[in-house]
Amino acid sequence: MYISYNKLWKLLIDRNMNKQTLKAAAGVSSASIAKLGKGDNITTDVLLKICTALNCDITDIMELMPGENPNYAESK
């Protein structure tokens, strides 16, 4: 299983926001936004800041997905 942040990106579209406005509203770093974009691990502190800025629940921005993260292709 892996965590998908697709719900976050859809929520931003619904609210006419982009990654830069999210970064400013939540007070998170560019590196954190980049990690989210790649589906990398992110701290719960960052997720809490995003939820606070968007006035939403954690389940509104992320979900567990079956299988392996498609962003991590195995190198051979």
Side-chain angles (χ1 to χ4, degrees), residues 44 47-48 51 56-63:
T44 52
L47 296 173
L48 180 61
C51 287
C56 68
D57 189 75
I58 193 95
T59 58
D60 295 329
I61 65 169
M62 60 187 280
E63 63 185 330

Side-chain angles (χ1 to χ4, degrees), residues 10-18 51 53-56 60:
K10 290 175 186 173
L11 184 61
L12 291 181
I13 291 168
D14 291 344
R15 295 188 183 190
N16 292 317
M17 294 178 74
N18 60 33
C51 287
L54 296 176
N55 192 28
C56 68
D60 295 329

Side-chain angles (χ1 to χ4, degrees), residues 8-68:
L8 172 60
W9 311 131
K10 290 175 186 173
L11 184 61
L12 291 181
I13 291 168
D14 291 344
R15 295 188 183 190
N16 292 317
M17 294 178 74
N18 60 33
K19 291 178 182 179
Q20 292 302 314
T21 55
L22 173 63
K23 177 184 155 228
V28 297
S29 69
S30 296
S32 292
I33 298 295
K35 283 183 177 184
L36 287 166
K38 292 185 223 172
D40 286 347
N41 291 330
I42 197 83
T43 66
T44 52
D45 289 340
V46 170
L47 296 173
L48 180 61
K49 287 179 182 181
I50 291 170
C51 287
T52 301
L54 296 176
N55 192 28
C56 68
D57 189 75
I58 193 95
T59 58
D60 295 329
I61 65 169
M62 60 187 280
E63 63 185 330
L64 287 175
M65 303 297 286
E68 294 185 27

